Structure formats: C-alpha cells, structure tokens
C-alpha cells in the first residue's frame, strides 16, 4: 500500500516525504515541477537512503492521473499540489481557479472510483481572513481576500460536501500558519522561483547577497513593534503533523491548525535571524502591503489533543536551519 503525495517535490511536500519514508511508508510523488526541482528526489534519497516512485505531470490531466491509480496500489493521499502565490493569484485568478480546483476534482473523482478514501489536504490559515480575536481556533469564521486563499476555502467546501454525501471518506484538513525553516541537512528548504513573496525566503536571499535589501511592509500595525505578527512554524514540525494526521485513528472529517501558538513580528524575526547567524540584514521600512493583516497566530490545542502534535523547534532553530539551507543551495 502506498501513500500518494501530490506536490511532493515542493517545500512542505518534500519534507513530508522524508518523514513518511522514515516511518517506512512507500511513497508515490506526482509533481509538475512548476515551483520545484526534480533534484529534490535525489536529495530525499540522500537523506533517507530510500527511493520513491515519481511521476512528472500536471494533475489537470485526468487521464495521466488515472494511470497512476491504475498502476499503483494507493492507500491514502496527501494533497499539496497547487499554485500558492497570493500576489500572482490576484493578477491571474482564472489560472489559480482552473489549476487548483480542476486538479483537486480530478484527484477526488479518481479516489472515489478506485475506492481510496483517506486524504490529508494542505490548507492555509489564510482561510481565516482578518481574525476578530486571537489565538485563532478552527471554528472561527472563514473569509478570504485573494483568489489563492479562495481556492483553499473552495476545496475545503468541496471536501465537506463530499463527506456529507459519502461519509466513508476519511478527510483531514490541515490549516498551516507560516511555515519556515529547513531540514537540518541543508539539502531541502524553501527555494521559490523568482523574487520571493514571503518574508523568510526574502531574508535568506538578502543574507547571501542575492537580493540587496529587504522591504519591511509597514511599521504602523497594532502590534508589539508596529510590524506584522505571524505564527511561524518549523517546516519539520509541520511535515511531521502530516504523519500524525495519517496515523490518526479518528474517522470522518477533521480540521486542525498547525502552528506554534506563538506570534513573532517581522522585526523580531529579522533580529533573531541576525543574532543566531551572525549576519546583518539590510532593510528599510516601507508602506503596508495590500491585504496584509496586523497579527495572526494559532490555537493548536485541538491538534495537540487529537493528533499529539507538539512543535519541537523554536524561532532560533527556524532561522538557523533557513540560513544553513540557503548557504548550501547558493
Ligand atoms: C509575513 C509578514 C508581511 C515579505 C502568506 C500567505 C499564506 C501562506 C504563508 C500559503 C507580513 C511581512 C513579507 C516582505 C515583509 N502561504 N513581509 N516583507 O502574508 O503572512 O502569509 O504566506 O499558504 O497563505 O498569505 O506571509 O511571509 O508573505 O508575510 O515585511 O518582503 O512579513 O507584511 O507581516 P503571510 P509573508
């Protein structure tokens, strides 16, 4: 029996595949390499000593996807594949709706046809919009402000309706807060194509001189130092959360926040990165970025209680591992 990991060459996907292999699962990856590189497969083998079965194609092709279900004995699916740049989604909404929704509908239809009932879905804290209070709990109101976030919300809705119609499905929705950090080997990490949208990948590029200066988007938020506060979670804590979700005996449709429960400001993150790595990050304060919220951090009580999820790494670890990765990959 094999675990199908869609988007398994990506940042969170590749770290999750390492954890799955270390737990002696057999893994099949489907990835179209639109935001990842094929050499990740070799790096996963270097870390674990194990092989995976890899298919390179776009999941919008239902016939190619069918071949995988036909050929491989899939027991469960972890679904990461999807476009994920907020800014790009505002410029190209149709591309985001088509890609993220069609690929997911193809996957769910084939899961149903081949009687594969267990799925763990990669969702995002972005579905909470601008929360009225903190920490954010799973039953908070949902709203989105960009097409990327709306595709995540729509897929959650599709999964809820699927479960309503057929409660033999075992569905886990994981809402990630802000994943950063890298595998301690320095072989896997966040390496987006082009100019990074997110804070840590941008800091990493400035740290190694690939970008000249970091813009801090606003210092007039209602936070400890005026800069945005987020719940940064180590990607290796996040990836292990998927193994826990896979092993969770509780049936039905389940939703969990995956974060640390702690908020860190932009300036706090930059200062920590500089301190633990002995570098200086050239930065300037500029205006707010459209759509940003003041603060966002998770209640992870439900994941702790039902999954046994316990974040092991702190902000210092995340900064150290991020720098270790970017030094090795540049
Ligand atoms: C974090 C903080 C910025 C860049 C997004 C998506 C979310 C998820 C994670 C996929 C904010 C500030 C950022 C920069 C800055 N992605 N910042 N200068 O916006 O919290 O969440 O990524 O699921 O869906 O919305 O993350 O890293 O972009 O921003 O000052 O160059 O850093 O204002 O306060 P965000 P981020």
């Amino acid at each position: 029996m094999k675990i199908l990991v869609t988007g398994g060459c990506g940042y969170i996907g590749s770290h999750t595949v390492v954890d799955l292999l270390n737990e002696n699962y057999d893994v099949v990856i489907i990835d179209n390499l639109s935001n990842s590189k094929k050499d990740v497969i070799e790096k996963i083998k270097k870390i674990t000593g194990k092989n995976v079965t890899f298919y390179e194609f776009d999941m919008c092709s239902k016939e190619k996807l069918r071949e995988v279900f036909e050929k491989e004995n899939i027991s469960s699916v972890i679904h990461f594949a999807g476009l994920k740049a907020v800014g790009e989604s505002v410029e190209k909404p149709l591309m985001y709706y088509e890609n993220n929704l069609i690929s997911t509908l193809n996957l769910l239809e084939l899961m149903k046809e081949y009687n594969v009932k267990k799925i763990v879905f990669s969702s995002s804290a972005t579905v909470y919009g601008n929360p009225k209070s903190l920490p954010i709990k799973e039953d908070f109101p949902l709203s989105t402000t960009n097409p990327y976030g709306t595709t995540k919300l729509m897929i959650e809705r599709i999964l809820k309706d699927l479960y309503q119609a057929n409660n033999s499905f075992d569905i886990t929705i994981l809402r990630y807060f802000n994943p950063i950090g890298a595998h301690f080997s320095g072989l896997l990490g966040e390496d987006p194509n082009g100019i990074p949208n997110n804070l840590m990948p941008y800091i990493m590029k400035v740290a190694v001189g690939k970008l000249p200066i970091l813009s801090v988007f606003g210092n007039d938020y209602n936070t400890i130092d005026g800069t945005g506060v987020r719940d940064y979670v180590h990607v290796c804590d996040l990836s292990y959360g998927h193994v826990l979700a896979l092993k969770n005996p509780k049936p039905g449709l389940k939703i969990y926040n995956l974060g640390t429960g702690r908020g860190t400001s932009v300036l706090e993150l930059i200062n920590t990165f500089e301190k633990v790595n002995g570098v200086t990050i050239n930065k300037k304060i500029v205006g707010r970025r459209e759509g940003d919220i003041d603060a966002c951090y998770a209640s992870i009580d439900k994941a702790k209680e039902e999954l046994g999820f316990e974040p092991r790494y702190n902000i210092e670890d995340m900064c150290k591992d991020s720098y270790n990765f970017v030094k090795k990959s540049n």
Side-chain angles (χ1 to χ4, degrees), residues 3-56:
I3 311 296
L4 171 60
V5 181
T6 76
C9 289
Y11 175 43
I12 303 166
S14 57
H15 284 83
T16 302
V17 169
V18 165
D19 283 337
L20 291 170
L21 294 171
N22 288 339
E23 298 278 329
N24 295 318
Y25 288 101
D26 289 326
V27 173
V28 176
I29 292 177
I30 297 173
D31 202 307
N32 67 2
L33 302 180
S34 63
N35 193 26
S36 54
K37 299 180 179 76
K38 191 172 179 180
D39 67 357
V40 162
I41 303 286
E42 268 318 298
K43 291 176 178 176
I44 289 170
K45 177 164 183 179
K46 207 167 178 185
I47 293 168
T48 63
K50 295 180 179 176
N51 290 308
V52 298
T53 307
F54 173 58
Y55 293 90
E56 180 185 349

Side-chain angles (χ1 to χ4, degrees), residues 84 86 124 126 148 177-178 197-199 202 214-217 228 230 232 266 289 292:
K84 56 157 279 188
V86 171
S124 166
T126 204
Y148 157 73
F177 280 67
N178 288 63
N197 300 298
N198 296 134
L199 178 61
Y202 208 108
L214 168 75
S215 297
V216 175
F217 296 146
R230 297 292 184 274
Y232 297 99
V266 175
R289 178 173 65 177
D292 273 352

Side-chain angles (χ1 to χ4, degrees), residues 202-217:
Y202 208 108
I203 291 174
M204 290 155 71
K205 296 268 186 198
V206 172
V208 292
K210 292 281 183 192
L211 288 169
I213 188 166
L214 168 75
S215 297
V216 175
F217 296 146

Side-chain angles (χ1 to χ4, degrees), residues 106-123:
N106 286 344
L107 174 67
L108 294 174
E109 283 162 2
L110 287 165
M111 284 179 66
K112 188 163 176 286
E113 188 178 328
Y114 285 82
N115 199 33
V116 178
K117 294 298 180 65
K118 194 172 178 80
I119 180 169
V120 177
F121 172 60
S122 163
S123 191

Side-chain angles (χ1 to χ4, degrees), residues 51-69:
N51 290 308
V52 298
T53 307
F54 173 58
Y55 293 90
E56 180 185 349
F57 65 85
D58 189 315
M59 288 170 58
C60 288
S61 160
K62 191 171 182 179
E63 282 328 298
K64 288 208 173 98
L65 189 53
R66 177 184 299 281
E67 287 169 27
V68 177
F69 277 88

